[in-house]
Amino acid sequence: MRLIPVGTETHAIVHLIVDTQDAMAANLINTMCEGVAPLIERVTGGRVRLRILSNLADLRWPAASCRIPSRRWPIFGFSGAEVAHGNRRSVALRRRRPVPACTHNKGVMNGVDAVALATGNDWRAIEAGAHAYCAQRALPAADPDGGAGRRPAREHRVPIQVGTVGGAVKANPLIPSCCG
């Protein structure tokens, strides 16, 4: 619990941290927030005014990666090694400046949104959470090539809430059976 002064009042911020396993679990978490409100009021002697389910899922870090050796990257007259070097420089730059970070994040989210749509997840919630996270930093990525392909050439870790079971994933017949 965190206490935050607002004007002449002090507000308590209480976080429920729920391990939802493979479900997004928005309805479950909303129900839990409603359920603990009376207990919080009894314990604090105050009044619960807001029950917010945040899309900032900074404790949920699914990952996707692929291995593409730099020898496979030659493009526009540049060798694969030159492309990998330029990519490493762009990673360093985007960590320091908002314009390249914004462009990088949009590119990452293009792929994330496509997967979210295909699996019946709430792409708007995922976008909101990723952008809130990025308001403080760019989305992480590993160094390209990672030592001749021993590590992933590109890895993106995005704090998002996704579900592969339950809710809309089960309700929509267009969602592939692997996701429901």
Side-chain angles (χ1 to χ4, degrees), residues 20-25 60 115 119-121 161-170 175-180:
T20 61
Q21 301 292 310
D22 292 334
M24 185 178 177
R60 297 176 94 173
V115 173
T119 58
N121 281 280
Q161 65 289 2
V162 296
T164 57
V165 299
V169 174
K170 275 191 172 174
I175 305 299
S177 62
C178 64
C179 300

Side-chain angles (χ1 to χ4, degrees), residues 57-82:
D58 55 353
L59 298 177
R60 297 176 94 173
W61 285 90
S65 65
C66 66
R67 294 172 193 263
I68 306 171
S70 62
R71 70 180 188 286
R72 305 279 223 156
W73 290 13
I75 189 169
F76 300 122
F78 293 99
S79 71
E82 290 172 311

Side-chain angles (χ1 to χ4, degrees), residues 61-139:
W61 285 90
S65 65
C66 66
R67 294 172 193 263
I68 306 171
S70 62
R71 70 180 188 286
R72 305 279 223 156
W73 290 13
I75 189 169
F76 300 122
F78 293 99
S79 71
E82 290 172 311
V83 173
H85 175 74
N87 204 340
R88 277 191 292 278
R89 299 309 313 149
S90 74
V91 167
L93 179 62
R94 73 141 216 280
R95 288 185 175 145
R96 295 174 183 242
R97 300 286 303 142
V99 172
C102 179
T103 302
H104 165 81
N105 296 339
K106 185 210 177 272
V108 170
M109 294 311 296
N110 285 342
V112 170
D113 289 347
V115 173
L117 284 167
T119 58
N121 281 280
D122 185 349
W123 65 272
R124 298 158 307 155
I126 291 169
E127 284 269 347
H131 293 304
Y133 178 82
C134 292
Q136 299 172 10
R137 65 194 68 78
L139 292 172

